[in-house]
Amino acid sequence: MSVTTALSQLANYRAHNIRASQRTFENGYRVLQKNAYQNLGDEEWTFLEQLALASIDVGRLEVADQCLQLLSEKFPDSPRVECLTGIRMEASSSPEIALKYYSELLEADSANAAIWKRKISVLRRTGKTEKTVSELCAFLDTFYTDVEGWLELGDLYAESCQYTLSLQALSHALLLAPQNPFYALQFAETAYTAGDIPLALKTFLMVVDMSDGDDSGISLAESTPLGITVRAWFGVKLCTRRLLGPSPQVQPSASGTSSPTSNNVALLDELATERLRVAYSSSAGVKGEIARGREEVFAWVA
Amino acid sequence: MSSSSAVSLYLDPQIRDWVLFPITLVMILVGVLRHYVVVLLQAIPKKQSRAAIREQRALTRCQILRATSANSPIPPSFYKTISQNLSEALKAGTYLKDGPPKADTPSTAPNPLSDPAAMDGMMAGMKTQMVMMVPQMVIMGWINFFFQGFVLIKLPFPLTLGFKSMLQRGIETPDMDVRWVSSLSWYFLNFFGLNGLYRLILGGDNSADSSRDMTVSPFASMGTAQPGQPQDFTKLYKAERDNLEFAEGLYNWVGQDIDTKVLRKYGKLLPISKQ
């Protein structure tokens, strides 16, 4: 592969934010060895940053060091290079050294979001959940719009079985990205785990409502649910089963969500069964081919 | 009468070579130079402290919450908690940079002249103004001194008399055809018209165009809310609290009747119109 194609592929990775570390490294290393990066103009530096990150990913630290060397010669005091240096440090040094480095940087510039996030991730990696949560809360209190941060916080809480708190964190993620069905699905699943069945049911239905149907013009009742919708239907089925079962199975909803009328629940149960049967009667998009796990699903929904 | 005078006037080609082209060239070069001087003068944006960012972004949180309140993705109990917490925090001033205000100190609007950060912003504005004003004044003086009353060019299309004051500034001739352009007017035409050329040479975000700066004085930005200018967050927070209350009234959870909606969508329940 020529250097030009390698470079265009790398630029494509950058534009679409694709991590593909191994391929990035292979392409980038070829460019680096031929010194072709020097005539890239301003692209040179983003290229070096990309290659440095990828080579840390694949464990070729000496290449990363070479990139870092070039970058820090060009930008001696850049916060971006400092962040990269920190990541390089995390790769080989102990977390304590990296933490100390990040804390020093944050002392100099308390509002450096990238460094702050790195620090939180190192904290989480070392297993200091309590410290991580308090740092992350402080971070999100300042940079409210960081969806990743809220998801991470929700995950941390769920890990420590604090499902109500996890739901609260996820609700912020929902507010920030109301169009993303995956966050809603995570919210629904967390609500189900927390035992708030009516809330879970309604959120699963929201996911269904958001993600079903395409523009192909087939009526919904005839279409095959795909991807995330199937998972949401599974959730609906789980919830309706709990709601239809004997009453002690369902605790009162912690969020005060009223469950649908029993007639609607019965209809939803029927609908979910039907949808799951449709989803598993043929594997995604291929007519006639039977999906894997069909027997089990049919037995479960029956 | 005007047509006969148009025929009778003959311009020395030396005027074209030594006046018309130099004026245009000098103005273009000064614009390019000015762009680079402004780039050099631009101070690195000051880093804000964590507290200052938090103060600014508190309003964004409320706006995000309000933006979806009519079709909110989050259930009522969550919405109410967030909304009320924000409202209380705004009331107590938890988000203010300097902490909650003391009860006894009277709230005064911050004085922009006493805040060093605001002064810096104003000084930067003045500096760019100076870079713009000085060369333009020099060029105008140069033209006025050497080429006063010169007729430089004849426009290739006829114009009405209304353009006379625009195109023949500096020449007091009531009868001359409007198509002739005087040196001072040529300067003004370049002054206002070169922006398109600068955009080609220097890119869209250039600071070479000086006519744009003419419309803003360095002090005009003081009244309006500009980033970097001091804002009275106590007042903004107060307004935002009203907005939050209003949004809470509008609030509706998207999942409220989602079960019937989905059932209708799949034809399990009859559509509303047929019921």
Side-chain angles (χ1 to χ4, degrees):
Chain A
M1 195 195 295
S2 74
V3 170
T4 332
T5 30
L7 278 175
S8 71
Q9 201 170 1
L10 286 175
N12 183 37
Y13 286 156
R14 272 202 302 273
H16 295 98
N17 212 1
I18 300 171
R19 188 150 170 175
S21 302
Q22 185 64 39
R23 270 173 293 160
T24 308
F25 174 76
E26 280 161 12
N27 286 335
Y29 191 52
R30 191 171 300 129
V31 175
L32 189 73
Q33 275 181 324
K34 291 188 180 157
N35 277 337
Y37 60 90
Q38 277 156 349
N39 42 29
L40 277 177
D42 283 346
E43 291 264 292
E44 180 183 345
W45 313 112
T46 39
F47 160 75
L48 285 174
E49 190 187 23
Q50 186 187 20
L51 179 58
L53 277 175
S55 38
I56 292 171
D57 261 355
V58 298
R60 293 287 297 270
L61 296 181
E62 79 282 358
V63 182
D65 283 336
Q66 200 182 336
C67 294
L68 263 176
Q69 179 75 28
L70 288 166
L71 281 170
S72 49
E73 269 165 23
K74 171 77 180 175
F75 309 102
D77 293 318
S78 152
R80 220 160 131 176
V81 175
E82 279 169 357
C83 185
L84 208 56
T85 318
I87 295 172
R88 166 70 188 82
M89 212 178 267
E90 281 176 51
S92 59
S93 320
S94 71
E96 284 72 32
I97 296 175
L99 268 183
K100 194 162 161 278
Y101 174 71
Y102 289 142
S103 304
E104 273 165 17
L105 285 179
L106 279 176
E107 231 162 79
D109 174 18
S110 62
N112 191 335
I115 298 286
W116 202 352
K117 277 174 96 169
R118 295 287 342 151
K119 186 182 171 190
I120 291 167
S121 83
V122 175
L123 276 175
R124 174 156 196 194
R125 195 153 54 87
T126 47
K128 293 173 189 154
T129 312
E130 214 167 301
K131 184 97 180 26
T132 317
V133 168
S134 64
E135 276 284 322
L136 194 52
C137 284
F139 173 78
L140 290 169
D141 195 37
T142 311
F143 300 98
Y144 179 75
T145 45
D146 196 299
V147 184
E148 275 175 22
W150 285 112
L151 291 176
E152 189 80 10
L153 185 63
D155 191 39
L156 268 169
Y157 277 135
E159 213 172 59
S160 10
C161 300
Q162 303 276 354
Y163 296 114
T164 322
L165 290 173
S166 177
L167 278 178
Q168 276 168 10
L170 287 174
S171 73
H172 286 284
L174 275 184
L175 275 179
L176 287 166
Q179 76 284 7
N180 191 325
F182 291 92
Y183 301 159
L185 187 69
Q186 196 179 348
F187 186 90
E189 283 168 2
T190 313
Y192 184 83
T193 318
D196 196 340
I197 305 299
L199 179 63
L201 175 59
K202 291 202 165 179
T203 324
F204 276 127
L205 286 172
M206 272 165 62
V207 180
V208 168
D209 191 32
M210 267 194 267
S211 60
D212 65 358
D214 44 12
D215 303 323
S216 57
I218 318 166
S219 79
L220 278 174
E222 285 162 24
S223 66
T224 315
L226 292 169
I228 186 177
T229 325
V230 180
R231 198 174 161 100
W233 279 122
F234 268 116
V236 172
K237 178 76 190 166
L238 278 170
C239 291
T240 51
R241 190 168 276 188
R242 291 278 289 271
L243 285 172
L244 288 172
S247 46
Q249 273 196 347
V250 175
Q251 311 154 356
S253 163
S255 62
T257 315
S258 60
S259 65
T261 57
S262 51
N263 182 30
N264 275 0
V265 174
L267 280 172
L268 281 172
D269 186 58
E270 201 180 293
L271 182 61
T273 310
E274 179 198 310
R275 293 283 90 203
L276 285 172
R277 276 172 175 278
V278 171
Y280 276 86
S281 35
S282 63
S283 63
V286 188
K287 285 277 174 213
E289 195 181 326
I290 289 167
R292 282 169 70 188
R294 180 185 164 184
E295 301 301 316
E296 287 79 359
V297 173
F298 273 35
W300 183 72
V301 296
Chain B
M1 192 167 63
S2 62
S3 57
S4 65
S5 70
V7 174
S8 66
L9 213 60
Y10 176 73
L11 291 186
D12 191 341
Q14 297 235 336
I15 288 189
R16 180 193 63 203
D17 293 349
W18 294 101
V19 183
L20 180 76
F21 288 161
I23 289 180
T24 318
L25 195 72
V26 163
M27 289 199 65
I28 293 173
L29 289 180
V30 163
V32 173
L33 187 74
R34 176 181 128 79
H35 170 73
Y36 287 111
V37 170
V38 167
V39 167
L40 276 183
L41 276 181
Q42 243 153 21
I44 306 153
K46 258 208 176 148
K47 280 174 184 166
Q48 281 182 307
S49 72
R50 210 178 263 191
I53 291 180
R54 187 164 167 259
E55 181 184 64
Q56 275 182 359
R57 301 209 174 173
L59 288 174
T60 327
R61 306 174 65 140
C62 305
Q63 280 154 10
I64 289 167
L65 183 70
R66 283 194 290 120
T68 50
S69 77
N71 260 318
S72 186
I74 60 173
S77 56
F78 289 88
Y79 185 91
K80 291 233 167 65
T81 324
I82 297 176
S83 173
Q84 277 158 15
N85 278 347
L86 275 177
S87 180
E88 263 159 41
L90 291 184
K91 189 180 175 192
T94 339
Y95 284 112
L96 287 175
K97 188 167 50 181
D98 309 318
K102 312 267 183 308
D104 48 341
T105 49
S107 74
T108 47
N111 183 359
L113 293 176
S114 67
D115 189 353
M119 273 310 270
D120 275 1
M122 241 158 63
M123 279 309 287
M126 302 256 287
K127 259 191 262 173
T128 31
Q129 292 281 314
M130 288 309 288
V131 178
M132 177 296 273
M133 293 300 277
V134 170
Q136 292 304 339
M137 273 158 61
V138 171
I139 296 177
M140 207 165 145
W142 169 58
I143 290 170
N144 256 339
F145 188 79
F146 287 104
F147 312 126
Q148 196 171 28
F150 276 44
V151 173
L152 296 192
I153 193 173
K154 186 187 174 196
L155 296 178
F157 44 85
L159 284 167
T160 54
L161 264 180
F163 286 94
K164 202 168 174 66
S165 62
M166 182 179 127
L167 292 180
Q168 292 177 4
R169 189 158 304 183
I171 325 175
E172 308 299 329
T173 47
D175 290 339
M176 197 161 73
D177 190 355
V178 189
R179 293 160 72 183
W180 297 102
V181 182
S182 75
S183 58
L184 202 57
S185 294
W186 182 245
Y187 164 77
F188 279 112
L189 284 182
N190 279 326
F191 183 74
F192 289 107
L194 276 179
N195 193 25
L197 192 69
Y198 290 141
R199 219 173 293 156
L200 274 182
I201 306 174
L202 300 168
D205 195 26
N206 68 72
S207 42
D209 182 26
S210 38
S211 59
R212 193 183 31 196
D213 298 300
M214 290 292 277
T215 51
V216 281
S217 94
F219 298 101
S221 57
M222 276 166 64
T224 57
Q226 236 187 17
Q229 295 291 325
Q231 285 171 320
D232 189 357
F233 277 99
T234 338
K235 271 187 196 148
L236 288 175
Y237 285 177
K238 205 165 168 243
E240 192 53 45
R241 283 187 61 214
D242 293 341
N243 288 339
L244 273 179
E245 239 170 77
F246 185 61
E248 211 175 315
L250 283 176
Y251 167 76
N252 187 28
W253 184 28
V254 108
Q256 196 58 54
D257 292 314
I258 192 81
D259 45 325
T260 33
K261 189 183 168 195
V262 170
L263 284 173
R264 284 213 176 92
K265 221 169 146 183
Y266 283 89
K268 293 282 168 190
L269 280 180
L270 292 175
I272 308 167
S273 52
K274 288 181 191 165
Q275 268 185 344

